[in-house]
Amino acid sequence: MDASDLLRSSLLQLSKSDRLREVIEKAPVSRSVVRRFVPGSDRDDVIAAAADLTSSGRLATIDYLGEDTLDPEQARRTKDAYVALVTGLRERGLTEGGAVEVSLKLSALGQALPGDGPHRALDHAREICAVASEAGTTVTLDMEDHTRTDLTLDGLRELRADFPSVGAVLQAYLHRTEQDCRDLAYAGSRVRLCKGAYQEPESVAFQSGADVDRSFVRCLKVLMQGKGYPMVATHDPRLIEIAGALAAQAGRDSGSFEYQMLYGIRPEEQRRISDRGDRMRVYIPYGDEWYGYLMRRMAEKPANVVFFLRGLAARG
Ligand code: FDA
């Protein structure tokens, strides 16, 4: 393991620490530092950010931050937040043609609650899908750690029975993903392919960056040659180039797949891709529960740790 792998794995470990979460979330300076990746805590903040992106020709998907909910009330509040969000987006005309959609984590909707957690989460998700579908837009289920992959894909199948436009996320770092891509490369299936952001054991996931990249390309080939709608979620310039070449090879036009990036990361590249006529969707998180999200972004790029610490030092 080299130094950057070690840092990555330590940050992903820390992303699960409740104690550190408390300290960091309460530090008076944290919020202003977090702004680079999270435009705000309130619905109005994120609607404004989405309006801004769409006015520049980009598309958006919005995530109400939160994960691993073990409180039924919190799960219900998360569902209500999504319903209010989609309604607000619709009132601003932002959901038309799916320009702005939502991404959700089943664990934020109560999937891990004891007893009927998975059912409860799906009921909440169904309500959100119904409001989104009425507003003319879509929902994508984020993918969490590998212990939840099967449960999430089962949930996807159930939701798609009523709402066929619900999209899935597959993570190239998992050994199983090439097969999952084959299973999901059918007409009407929306699949976001990303590298994967959690700490996973060797038994289920490729550990080296090069192996993950190779898997990403194999998965991309399956998705691009398939009949579904691939969503290529990466900031990696090489993979973006390969995705374009594979799309051309498969005879796809620019409306038959899209690129996706995270809010605040490589914004010039986001604009360049959408200006050349390709679809570019930006994932925008909002809300107060930004700790886990921020730690995963720091794990991806050590320079972000320096950026964060500098922000703390400058204001501390
Ligand atoms: P990689 O990490 O190799 O980065 C390539 C280059 O991109 C870097 O050299 C740098 O220039 C830039 N970059 C990447 N991350 C950066 C950062 N944090 N800060 C600054 N620059 C950065 N994961 C998951 O497990 N489940 C999910 O549901 C999703 N959903 C999702 C949606 C969307 C739209 C995106 C773009 C990503 C996700 N992810 C995700 C996260 C994904 O798995 C992965 O961790 C990140 O996208 C980083 O991987 P890259 O492919 O960008 O490559």
Side-chain angles (χ1 to χ4, degrees), residues 39 56 179 212 301:
S56 73
Q179 184 56 45
V212 176
K301 190 155 164 116

Side-chain angles (χ1 to χ4, degrees), residues 227-249:
K227 294 195 163 73
Y229 181 81
M231 304 184 278
V232 185
T234 182
H235 312 91
D236 189 324
R238 243 185 64 227
L239 293 177
I240 291 169
E241 209 182 310
I242 292 172
L246 289 174
Q249 227 175 62

